[in-house]
Amino acid sequence: MSAMRVDAKVVMLGKESVGKTSLVERYVHHRFLVGPYQNTIGAAFVAKPIQVGENVITLGIWDTAGSERYEAMSRIYYRGARAAIVCYDLTDSSSFQRARFWVKELQNCEEHCKIYLCGSKSDLISEDRSLRQIDYHDAQDFADEIGAQHFETSSKTGSNVDELFQKVAEDYRSTSFHGMTLQETGVDLTPKKDSSFYSCCHNN
Amino acid sequence: MDGEAQRATASWGNGTLAPGDHLRSDRAESPTPGLVEGTEPGAGQKSAMFVHAQSFEDLTAEAEEEVRREADINNPGDSEEELNVLVGEKEPHLTSESKSKEEDVSSEAWRSHRKHVFVLSEAGKPIYTRYGTEEALSSTMGVMMALVSVVESEKNTIRSIHADGCKVIFLTKSPLVLVGVSRTSQSDKELLRELQYIYYQIVSLLTLTQLNHIFQHKQNYDLRRLLAGSEYLTDNLLHRLDRDPGLLLSAVTCLPLASSARDTVSSSLQAAKSKNLVFSILLAGDRLVTLLRKKDQFLHHIDLHLVFNLVGSSSSFREGEGWTPICLPKFNTAGFFHAHISYLEPASQLCLILVSTDREDFFNMSECKQRFLERLSRRTAYQALKDALKSPTYSVEHVGIPELRHFLYKSKSSGLYTSPEFPDVYISDSEQERLMGLYQELHSSLHHPTRPLRFFYRCGERENLLAWVTSGFELYLCFSPLGTKALAVAAVTKLLKWIRKEEDRLFILSPLTY
Ligand SMILES: Nc1nc2c(ncn2[C@@H]2O[C@H](COP(=O)(O)OP(=O)(O)OP(=O)(O)O)[C@@H](O)[C@H]2O)c(=O)[nH]1
Ligand SMILES: [Mg+2]
């Protein structure tokens, strides 16, 4: 029951075709798929264990579809998430607007969710600087303002992708470690059999 | 003949949710064409799996649709708030870059496509085009809408225009208008059926309630915003409509599998139940392995084909687990189900679809899948199933009728069909499409709205064709052009006997429920 052993729920958000699925593909399967782009339908879930210090933490990653069609549904995907990776395409300024929208939505509805702002497709910029539409410092300023971490990644080359997810896992561990010292007992990270993951995160 | 057609219509009209109680168990070894419905080869032993798909006269359900639509409008349900989110003003960020089908709409090539399909809103706004981009076609679509409106203002409905080897078919399904332009020899009714499929495809993504809501609030809403990224589903469905006998026959086909193995798979699936789980569907590519349903709930073949199309069009379910809202429009146009979609193993063709009523059910469904898989992998049936994947189809030679090249056989009471692989004569794509075109013509003749035929034999230069419909089955046969009519008729009896012998492998005879 792989899905039940998830420690932290992580949700990928952002405009369609910014590269959310590609990020997950790169991180989980270490590959970059070329070929015609396929929009994600609804959302896809994948569980990925990750080593943090001596611990293994399993991230439950929700790769959501960027299409507006699913916007009304999006709550079920980000509710109870410990981390949200809000993606925008470095070569598409409208996608940054959309990222702002998601940040606002998270701030309003999911205040305990840590935000990671991720500018994608950095390989395109390295090839041709004129393609950049979102200034690094503008994005950094925005990230500071909302208290978010900021990354620029490329799923094509793999640049910064592992670092991004590693940071997510480390931040999760340091906050849950904090909780552990308070309780003085080891935290049992495996939820009870009948409690779904949602509820376990909700109680935190 | 007329009586036959009427009967079929009537049973569709009143029996949309449950099949009749006439499924008998006397299964003759040498079935004759005159056999009773429910005893034909391939008929389920206990009950049918689908909404009674006796005929393809989906169009006669129009009146009932109207009624349901009324209900939708008057009762938008509790999702009102969510819907408002959708119609609210937002920065338009639709670009046409996602369209890979850039094509000059004034070119001869564009004009000469065999079949065009356009979807527009009642305000004349383009929603979908099969070829070219919607932007380039906005004035064309405006003209189409004008035609619809002019006729409507006379309290009439425009159905079709015939001109110059070209047919224009209109389907108004408020708030959408669908237009087909065809150079094929398909009948109006066939073309209308295809437009219906496209309509349902769109409804399955949005629900009719949402569609109505949107256009009530904003008549000239650009629906492409909400459909962005789904165009390939519609493209693929149109492709299937040209190629897939299942869509023509209103039926689905099964993976050939020994009934003992299939029964084990079914019961393993049955054991993995959950409160809100309504349908569990196990697919091998485009073939059904088994389908379980909640007692008293039936899936319509159109809905099932929409699910097939969704799964078949997208490779994104290959890894991980998909969780997506889906409306099954023949079941209920008002709401979403939630489908858990995953492959049993990463490289496997076996795809499991678990349909739940609860959007929060993801982890329950995920656990159901695990339970099913654990149970199944302990049994030898799993290996039998994997072996069966290696021969998902069979050669027509097994039947032992030398002149027979290909056939489609549909058991009406089960809504399942069987068909061999295409023989070498029809190996190319274009030849296969030509044969499908011939079957479509036969189908049109058998289901002609005013003069339906029960039996049809046609000699051609390249093949001879026979079509036969009874209360129990529908049969289309393709023979070498050297055969005779007498031979063809004799072949039917022989073929029915063969199908009877093989039926427990080719069909799902004992479907289970939760
Ligand atoms: N050059 C380059 N292309 C990328 C990168 N990441 C994604 N792409 C391309 O961008 C397109 C969209 O990528 P996806 O990962 O499918 O986008 P998505 O955000 O999942 O889109 P939706 O599922 O529709 O929301 C694809 O054609 C990818 O190949 C990247 O790092 N570099
Ligand atoms: Mg995606």
Side-chain angles (χ1 to χ4, degrees):
Chain A
M1 262 132 265
S2 58
M4 304 308 268
R5 258 185 283 110
V6 165
D7 301 314
K9 176 172 175 176
V10 180
V11 63
M12 314 288 301
L13 295 169
K15 189 187 160 175
E16 60 170 330
S17 91
V18 295
K20 301 176 291 296
T21 303
S22 303
L23 264 178
V24 176
E25 276 286 323
R26 166 58 75 185
Y27 176 59
V28 176
H29 301 290
H30 317 289
R31 64 185 174 198
F32 179 71
L33 298 177
V34 277
Y37 147 61
Q38 268 201 353
N39 304 75
T40 302
I41 307 271
F45 177 87
V46 60
K48 169 80 179 172
I50 171 171
Q51 187 82 33
V52 184
E54 295 119 54
N55 304 57
V56 172
I57 287 170
T58 301
L59 301 181
I61 304 171
W62 279 98
D63 172 23
T64 67
S67 168
E68 266 187 64
R69 183 166 67 249
Y70 302 105
E71 195 173 302
M73 296 286 169
S74 59
R75 256 196 81 84
I76 63 167
Y77 301 123
Y78 65 66
R79 189 167 58 214
R82 301 297 296 257
I85 300 177
V86 178
C87 304
Y88 61 94
D89 180 340
L90 290 168
T91 68
D92 171 13
S93 58
S94 74
S95 70
F96 195 68
Q97 290 307 311
R98 192 73 183 151
R100 285 178 183 272
F101 163 86
W102 284 117
V103 167
K104 215 189 292 163
E105 177 106 350
L106 289 166
Q107 287 173 331
N108 289 339
C109 308
E110 211 55 52
E111 49 176 338
H112 297 299
C113 176
K114 256 180 105 54
I115 298 174
Y116 299 79
L117 199 60
C118 175
S120 64
K121 311 190 187 178
S122 64
D123 57 286
L124 295 178
I125 309 289
S126 320
E127 264 172 39
D128 178 358
R129 286 179 179 279
S130 70
L131 287 176
R132 184 185 273 276
Q133 290 197 5
I134 309 295
D135 186 76
Y136 177 83
H137 298 285
D138 289 350
Q140 184 60 48
D141 288 350
F142 178 58
D144 291 344
E145 188 187 310
I146 60 172
Q149 298 280 339
H150 177 216
F151 289 81
E152 287 193 350
T153 61
S154 164
S155 307
K156 192 170 176 184
T157 65
S159 156
N160 241 358
V161 175
D162 285 351
E163 289 82 348
L164 166 66
F165 285 94
Q166 192 69 35
K167 181 75 182 141
V168 169
E170 277 166 13
D171 288 353
Y172 169 75
R173 197 193 58 151
S174 56
T175 50
S176 66
F177 187 75
H178 191 65
M180 192 160 93
T181 48
L182 286 178
Q183 289 170 8
E184 284 221 326
T185 53
V187 170
D188 181 10
L189 290 175
T190 37
K192 281 176 212 79
K193 198 174 181 318
D194 57 351
S195 72
S196 82
F197 173 67
Y198 288 119
S199 50
C200 102
C201 277
H202 235 47
N203 298 338
N204 293 341
Chain B
M1 231 181 279
D2 264 339
E4 165 77 14
Q6 250 164 24
R7 205 183 55 75
T9 309
S11 91
W12 179 265
N14 60 23
T16 44
L17 282 178
D21 260 341
H22 39 51
L23 302 185
R24 305 232 209 112
S25 53
D26 45 315
R27 308 176 81 82
E29 236 173 71
S30 304
T32 55
L35 42 75
V36 188
E37 179 200 349
T39 65
E40 80 275 12
Q45 269 156 357
K46 292 184 196 117
S47 62
M49 279 184 296
F50 304 118
V51 172
H52 207 195
Q54 193 176 52
S55 66
F56 91 126
E57 272 75 6
D58 186 30
L59 304 173
T60 56
E62 208 80 305
E64 156 218 310
E65 276 278 308
E66 275 318 323
V67 174
R68 211 185 300 161
R69 199 177 306 151
E70 289 280 342
D72 288 338
I73 294 169
N74 298 333
N75 183 16
D78 52 8
S79 46
E80 181 95 22
E81 213 170 282
E82 289 173 0
L83 297 179
N84 281 327
V85 176
L86 288 168
V87 272
E89 293 295 333
K90 254 180 245 130
E91 78 279 14
H93 54 257
L94 235 196
T95 47
S96 53
E97 94 225 319
S98 52
K99 269 259 147 104
S100 57
K101 38 188 184 182
E102 298 289 344
E103 197 178 324
D104 182 3
V105 300
S106 58
S107 67
E108 199 46 47
W110 185 83
R111 273 171 210 280
S112 58
H113 284 297
R114 278 174 69 241
K115 216 185 281 174
H116 281 277
V117 172
F118 307 98
V119 182
L120 43 146
S121 72
E122 282 175 320
K125 265 230 158 95
I127 294 171
Y128 172 81
T129 175
R130 185 177 192 178
Y131 303 107
T133 62
E134 291 85 11
E135 287 88 350
L137 288 164
S138 53
S139 59
T140 312
M141 298 217 197
V143 173
M144 290 174 183
M145 196 53 228
L147 280 169
V148 173
S149 313
V150 166
V151 179
E152 245 168 30
S153 66
E154 308 271 297
K155 300 247 174 310
N156 213 329
T157 314
I158 189 164
R159 293 197 187 284
S160 65
I161 302 172
H162 295 222
D164 205 14
C166 187
K167 272 182 199 157
V168 187
I169 309 290
F170 294 86
L171 174 66
T172 36
K173 284 273 200 185
S174 179
L176 304 183
V177 175
L178 297 96
V179 183
V181 179
S182 166
R183 297 181 185 281
T184 67
S185 54
Q186 278 173 294
S187 66
D188 287 14
K189 197 173 167 188
E190 295 284 340
L191 292 165
L192 212 47
R193 181 179 59 85
E194 300 193 356
L195 292 181
Q196 291 243 344
Y197 260 107
I198 302 306
Y199 167 74
Y200 286 129
Q201 167 61 47
I202 293 173
V203 172
S204 83
L205 291 165
L206 297 173
T207 73
L208 185 57
T209 308
Q210 188 167 296
L211 269 177
N212 283 326
H213 185 93
I214 288 165
F215 285 107
Q216 270 161 29
H217 282 74
K218 213 172 156 201
Q219 256 201 335
N220 65 348
Y221 184 82
D222 186 354
L223 196 65
R224 284 179 308 150
R225 254 172 62 176
L226 285 187
L227 292 176
S230 71
E231 298 86 353
Y232 72 104
L233 293 177
T234 311
D235 293 346
N236 273 328
L237 185 60
L238 282 165
H239 182 70
R240 275 165 192 260
L241 282 164
D242 285 338
R243 304 282 322 240
D244 185 343
L247 291 155
L248 177 70
L249 297 173
S250 304
V252 290
T253 192
C254 308
L255 177 78
L257 180 65
S259 60
S260 58
R262 196 185 314 271
D263 290 347
T264 306
V265 176
S266 303
S267 60
S268 303
L269 201 50
Q270 188 186 37
K273 60 180 157 202
S274 171
K275 189 167 110 261
N276 299 313
L277 179 58
V278 194
F279 300 112
S280 308
I281 305 158
L282 185 63
L283 293 185
D286 272 347
R287 289 159 186 276
L288 195 59
V289 177
T290 186
L291 185 152
L292 267 92
R293 55 182 179 80
K294 241 196 172 88
K295 212 159 175 275
D296 304 327
Q297 308 294 348
F298 291 86
L299 196 55
H300 193 283
H301 58 87
I302 290 185
D303 290 341
L304 192 54
H305 277 296
L306 293 175
V307 172
F308 279 32
N309 187 48
L310 178 75
V311 173
S313 305
S314 180
S315 61
S316 70
F317 304 117
R318 280 254 148 229
E319 314 280 350
E321 302 162 67
W323 182 240
T324 181
I326 180 171
C327 168
L328 300 175
K330 294 302 285 183
F331 192 94
N332 180 352
T333 53
F336 280 119
F337 283 102
H338 297 269
H340 181 279
I341 303 171
S342 65
Y343 285 82
L344 291 194
E345 290 170 40
S348 162
Q349 289 178 58
L350 293 165
C351 182
L352 180 65
I353 300 135
L354 302 170
V355 181
S356 165
T357 52
D358 182 2
R359 56 153 90 173
E360 307 283 351
D361 234 6
F362 174 81
F363 287 100
N364 286 333
M365 293 302 105
S366 185
E367 205 192 309
C368 283
K369 180 208 168 174
Q370 288 304 326
R371 286 212 312 265
F372 165 62
L373 196 56
E374 274 165 28
R375 201 183 169 97
L376 182 63
S377 46
R378 283 198 302 266
R379 289 172 169 71
T380 51
Y382 194 30
Q383 195 50 51
L385 176 56
K386 286 181 183 168
D387 291 341
L389 293 175
K390 291 175 198 144
S391 45
T393 175
Y394 54 91
S395 156
V396 71
E397 281 159 25
H398 291 308
V399 185
I401 303 171
E403 303 78 16
L404 185 64
R405 285 180 174 176
H406 192 253
F407 67 87
L408 308 174
Y409 169 88
K410 172 188 170 184
S411 147
K412 281 189 176 180
S413 55
S414 67
L416 299 170
Y417 80 94
T418 186
S419 176
E421 64 199 9
F422 286 107
D424 288 345
V425 211
Y426 302 99
I427 210 74
S428 72
D429 270 4
S430 61
E431 276 300 291
Q432 285 176 15
E433 272 180 30
R434 191 177 65 79
L435 181 58
M436 275 305 297
L438 293 169
Y439 284 143
Q440 284 182 352
E441 283 172 32
L442 293 176
H443 187 268
S444 286
S445 315
L446 293 186
H447 295 275
H448 192 280
T450 51
R451 286 171 281 108
L453 299 174
R454 302 191 59 158
F455 183 89
F456 194 59
Y457 183 72
R458 194 167 112 180
C459 280
E461 244 168 58
R462 296 202 256 176
E463 56 266 303
N464 294 342
L465 297 158
L466 173 75
W468 197 337
V469 58
T470 71
S471 62
F473 64 81
E474 237 175 273
L475 185 57
Y476 301 84
L477 303 133
C478 169
F479 295 96
S480 97
L482 303 173
T484 64
K485 185 171 170 183
L487 222 85
V489 173
V492 171
T493 316
K494 194 159 179 199
L495 177 61
L496 287 176
K497 197 169 165 181
W498 183 82
I499 297 174
R500 171 67 89 211
K501 187 162 69 68
E502 299 288 326
E503 65 176 351
D504 53 1
R505 212 169 53 83
L506 300 178
F507 293 90
I508 302 174
L509 296 183
S510 35
L512 298 178
T513 58
Y514 288 120

